[in-house]
Amino acid sequence: MTPLQRYWLQLSSRDKTTLLLGLVIVLPLLVYALLWEPFTQRLANLEQRVSQQRSDVLWMQHAEREAHALKTSSPASQPATHGSLLTLSDASSKRHQLNESVKRVQPDGAHSVRIYLEEADFSDLLRWLDELTLQHQILLTALSIEGNKDTPGRVNARVVLESPA
């Protein structure tokens, strides 16, 4: 006979009833606290992650379709020619209020142009270069910028642009 069986036989019927009642109450609580609750919590977390990942996939698929549509419809998807580089740089400089600052535009080879700007607004210059390089895939091969001490925010710049063709 094991020590536990001996202990059980020595207990009074009242103590046995109390222990059995305690076991009936504590055992389900332990199963709930140690097994069921962690399982359901983990399941809820996994369901939330799956839902989030599904929405991420939908967003990525939409972004992929949008990027593909933009890439195929963009004028930048066709290489710029020498004539269109001059036209493009002139039109975009006007959109960025730089047409007054452009002092000289000079073709430089088959696919390149030099542009000299004076008293250009620095922010407008950066936005213009950003548009040319990112939206139209024009290469910025040389850039020289000199600040103006008399008028802050205004610069003189020499820019060399090149079409990718």
Side-chain angles (χ1 to χ4, degrees), residues 104-135:
R104 185 170 54 167
V105 178
Q106 152 186 359
D108 186 36
H111 302 285
S112 184
V113 65
R114 288 183 186 272
I115 302 172
Y116 298 88
L117 299 101
E118 292 179 8
E119 294 296 316
D121 182 78
F122 183 68
S123 298
D124 292 339
L125 176 66
L126 291 181
R127 283 196 255 329
W128 175 59
L129 293 173
D130 184 59
E131 177 187 323
L132 289 173
T133 56
L134 296 179
Q135 293 179 12

Side-chain angles (χ1 to χ4, degrees), residues 5 8-9 11 14 48 51 56 61-62 67 70 75 77 84 115 143 160:
Q5 287 173 335
W8 181 256
L9 291 175
L11 289 176
R14 188 174 123 201
Q48 183 180 9
S51 174
D56 288 348
Q61 289 170 342
H62 174 72
L70 287 172
S77 62
S84 67
I115 302 172
L143 175 64
V160 179

Side-chain angles (χ1 to χ4, degrees), residues 21-116:
L21 184 61
L23 185 63
V24 168
I25 292 172
V26 170
L27 188 61
L29 288 175
L30 284 174
V31 167
Y32 177 79
L34 297 176
L35 298 174
W36 186 255
E37 180 61 22
F39 172 75
T40 57
Q41 193 69 16
R42 177 78 172 144
L43 182 63
N45 288 343
L46 289 174
E47 287 173 346
Q48 183 180 9
R49 283 182 54 197
V50 166
S51 174
Q52 179 64 39
Q53 289 176 350
R54 281 188 180 140
S55 67
D56 288 348
V57 165
L58 289 174
W59 178 86
M60 285 182 211
Q61 289 170 342
H62 174 72
E64 177 188 27
R65 285 190 299 271
E66 188 176 323
H68 182 69
L70 287 172
K71 183 177 181 184
T72 57
S73 69
S74 164
S77 62
Q78 297 100 25
T81 63
H82 178 65
S84 67
L85 179 59
L86 291 171
T87 305
L88 179 64
S89 63
D90 182 54
S92 66
S93 69
K94 288 178 183 172
R95 272 195 308 277
H96 292 280
Q97 292 83 33
L98 291 171
N99 53 330
E100 297 291 323
S101 299
V102 174
K103 297 303 177 190
R104 185 170 54 167
V105 178
Q106 152 186 359
D108 186 36
H111 302 285
S112 184
V113 65
R114 288 183 186 272
I115 302 172
Y116 298 88

